[in-house]
């Protein structure tokens, strides 16, 4: 296969990529920490306030709706207006909403605050994706660092929040407000400094290709469904089907999430060597046997290795989805980032109730069996994706 310039390997060293992207990587980690804080705190709302499972699902839905529905509008706004404060304000709003929810005295107020937190998450992604691409240039590895930042934040949320919630109760969510305020301020300062010190910025011209972009969005939806489903049911599968301890069930979830971080970074390296389309296809194909092996291994301890492997393979395509989406929509980088990083990622969670019905009737093993078949759709969509056009950049003052 002959690669276009967009698909060619980047000559930018990893160190330079990190130097350019460190603000965005850390900001993405902080922002998505609050996405992970919501599911980590929901069990404590149930235990301390006697919320029903329906009410608990409603809280998860509030955060999902807030982070998913505004994405296209905010993406259009980010493409039409520079609005340097949008990403910093999104982080602060996400932190305030999720942090104050634990202190709210009534269910409607908790629901509204989690909805607000989701809107903050939604505000961050289009603007951050647009400006991270500006700093990354054409390096897939650099954009994979940005994507991995979100995975790290989601991974850290239960690890850091659960001990505090166990010790202090659900009101401990307020302890996690300061990182959002601090990172919002740091990112706002960086944005203004970056703009002030940059004389010329690249303008990407080209023709928006919506059909390939929608196919790419389908690939991300497949990944998101698997990711959300595994987050929800892998620990229950370990405990209820494999008969392991609660601690080992938690370790299985941590292994899958940790593998996801590694897979995102690994995918960026693959893309800079063999191209973005091959990276998506490699990850999509590899996820099928990895998930099947995870489901079929009868040993809980040995299964941890396959939980890591599943996390790696499922997230290899995630490394390049943002960059490739922006290559398909070169004049709308904010919209592309908002959909691939925000809307499609959140929308996968809407499929979880279907898996819940399956699990209620046949157990969590049936839910994982269903997830094993879903990569087939990602494989088909991945092979339908066309090559992106070579970018045509022109300077502007």
């Amino acid at each position: 296969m002959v690669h276009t310039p967009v698909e060619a390997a980047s000559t930018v060293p990893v160190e330079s990529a990190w130097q350019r992207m460190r603000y965005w990587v850390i900001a993405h980690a902080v922002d998505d920490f609050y996405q992970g804080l919501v599911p980590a705190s929901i069990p404590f709302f149930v235990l301390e306030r006697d919320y029903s499972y329906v009410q608990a699902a409603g809280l998860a839905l509030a955060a999902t709706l807030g982070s998913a529905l505004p994405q296209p509008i905010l993406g259009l706004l980010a493409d039409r207006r520079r609005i340097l404060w949008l990403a910093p304000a999104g982080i602060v709003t996400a932190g305030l909403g999720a942090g104050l929810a634990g202190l709210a005295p009534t269910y409607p107020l908790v629901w509204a605050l989690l909805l607000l937190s989701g809107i903050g998450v939604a505000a961050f992604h289009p603007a951050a994706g647009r400006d991270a691409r500006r700093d990354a240039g054409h390096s897939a590895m650099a954009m994979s660092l940005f994507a991995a930042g979100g995975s790290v934040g989601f991974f850290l949320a239960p690890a850091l929040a659960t001990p505090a919630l166990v010790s202090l109760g659900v009101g401990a969510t307020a302890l996690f407000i300061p990182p959002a305020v601090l990172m919002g301020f740091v990112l706002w300062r960086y944005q203004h400094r970056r703009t002030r010190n940059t004389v010329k910025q690249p303008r990407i011209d080209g023709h928006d290709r919506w059909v390939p972009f929608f196919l790419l969005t389908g690939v991300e939806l497949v990944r998101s469904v698997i990711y959300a489903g595994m987050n929800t049911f892998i620990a229950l599968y370990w405990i209820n089907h494999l008969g392991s301890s609660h601690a080992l069930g938690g370790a299985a979830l941590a292994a899958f999430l940790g593998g996801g971080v590694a897979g995102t970074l690994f995918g960026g390296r693959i893309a800079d060597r063999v191209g973005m389309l091959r990276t998506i296809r490699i990850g999509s194909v590899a996820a099928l046997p990895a998930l099947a092996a995870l489901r079929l291994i009868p040993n809980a301890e040995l299964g941890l290795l396959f939980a890591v492997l599943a996390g790696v393979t499922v997230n290899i395509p995630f490394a390049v989805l943002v960059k490739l989406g922006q290559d398909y929509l070169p004049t709308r980088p904010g919209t592309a980032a908002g959909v691939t990083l925000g809307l499609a990622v959140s929308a996968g969670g809407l499929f979880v109730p279907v898996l819940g019905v399956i699990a209620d009737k046949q157990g969590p093993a049936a839910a994982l069996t269903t997830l094993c078949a879903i990569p087939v759709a990602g494989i088909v969509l991945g092979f339908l994706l066309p090559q992106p056009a070579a970018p045509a950049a022109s300077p502007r003052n």
Side-chain angles (χ1 to χ4, degrees):
M1 180 183 295
V2 178
H3 300 300
T4 66
V6 174
E7 291 274 64
S10 172
T11 59
V12 181
V14 175
E15 291 77 13
S16 295
W18 168 251
Q19 290 171 1
R20 294 195 314 275
M21 298 298 291
R22 61 187 183 275
Y23 287 97
W24 296 115
V25 173
I26 297 171
H28 198 186
V30 173
D31 181 78
D32 282 17
F33 175 89
Y34 299 103
Q35 277 193 303
L37 182 60
V38 174
S41 62
I42 283 176
F44 294 89
F45 281 107
V46 174
L47 292 173
E48 293 184 25
R49 302 190 180 181
D50 294 324
Y51 289 171
S52 68
Y53 289 122
V54 172
Q55 287 176 310
L59 296 181
L61 181 62
T64 299
L65 291 176
S67 61
L69 295 182
Q71 290 285 355
I73 297 174
L74 291 168
L76 290 172
L77 182 63
D79 287 330
R80 292 178 180 272
R81 298 286 185 269
R82 197 67 200 281
I83 316 181
L84 297 179
W85 52 262
L86 186 58
I91 293 179
V92 174
T93 303
L96 286 173
L100 293 175
L103 301 177
T106 65
Y107 180 85
L109 186 55
V110 173
W111 196 94
L113 285 168
L114 292 182
L115 178 71
L116 180 66
S117 179
I119 292 173
V121 170
F124 171 80
H125 284 122
R130 175 198 65 196
D131 293 338
R133 174 63 186 268
R134 170 202 67 196
D135 290 349
H138 299 307
S139 170
M141 183 62 205
M143 285 304 288
S144 76
L145 290 173
F146 173 65
S151 299
V152 169
F154 200 94
F155 171 74
L156 288 177
L160 297 179
T162 300
L165 293 168
V166 169
S167 300
L168 303 173
V170 73
T173 56
L175 296 175
F176 299 100
I177 293 175
V181 177
L182 176 61
M183 191 65 234
F185 175 73
V186 170
L187 187 60
W188 178 77
R189 290 287 302 273
Y190 168 72
Q191 283 282 69
H192 282 273
R193 185 170 67 252
R194 177 71 168 78
T195 303
R196 186 169 59 248
N197 294 339
T198 301
V199 177
K200 294 183 179 181
Q201 300 174 11
R203 182 181 67 223
I204 304 298
D205 298 317
H207 177 66
D208 291 334
R209 302 167 69 191
W210 287 99
V211 172
F213 179 75
F214 286 134
L215 291 173
L216 184 72
T217 301
V219 173
E220 170 53 25
L221 278 170
V222 169
R223 189 207 71 89
S224 178
V225 167
I226 298 171
Y227 196 74
M230 291 294 288
N231 284 344
T232 303
F233 292 104
I234 188 170
L236 293 172
Y237 172 75
W238 243 251
I239 296 166
N240 295 336
H241 184 77
L242 297 181
S244 73
S245 66
H246 286 68
L248 199 56
L253 175 58
F256 178 76
L257 293 175
V261 176
T264 304
L265 294 173
F266 187 43
R269 287 191 173 275
I270 295 174
D272 277 339
R273 285 164 173 75
V274 305
M276 291 184 289
L277 295 185
R278 282 186 176 179
T279 300
I280 290 175
R281 292 162 185 167
I282 288 170
S284 298
V285 171
L288 194 60
L291 289 169
L294 172 66
R295 170 63 183 86
L296 295 174
I297 292 296
N299 182 276
E301 289 78 12
L302 181 60
L304 293 176
L305 175 63
F306 289 92
V308 173
L309 183 61
V312 170
T313 56
V314 168
N315 282 276
I316 283 175
F318 190 44
V320 300
L321 289 173
V322 180
K323 185 177 185 300
L324 185 56
Q326 291 173 330
D327 287 339
Y328 285 145
L329 300 184
T331 71
R332 302 174 184 270
T335 299
V339 173
T340 54
L341 265 183
L343 177 61
V345 170
S346 301
L350 300 178
F351 186 75
V352 171
V354 177
L355 294 174
V357 172
I358 295 173
D360 276 340
K361 292 183 177 180
Q362 302 180 36
L368 260 65
T369 301
T370 303
L371 290 173
C372 289
I374 291 177
V376 174
I379 294 171
V380 173
L381 292 171
F383 278 92
L384 291 176
L385 291 172
Q387 292 281 358
S394 59
R396 69 179 177 190
N397 294 327

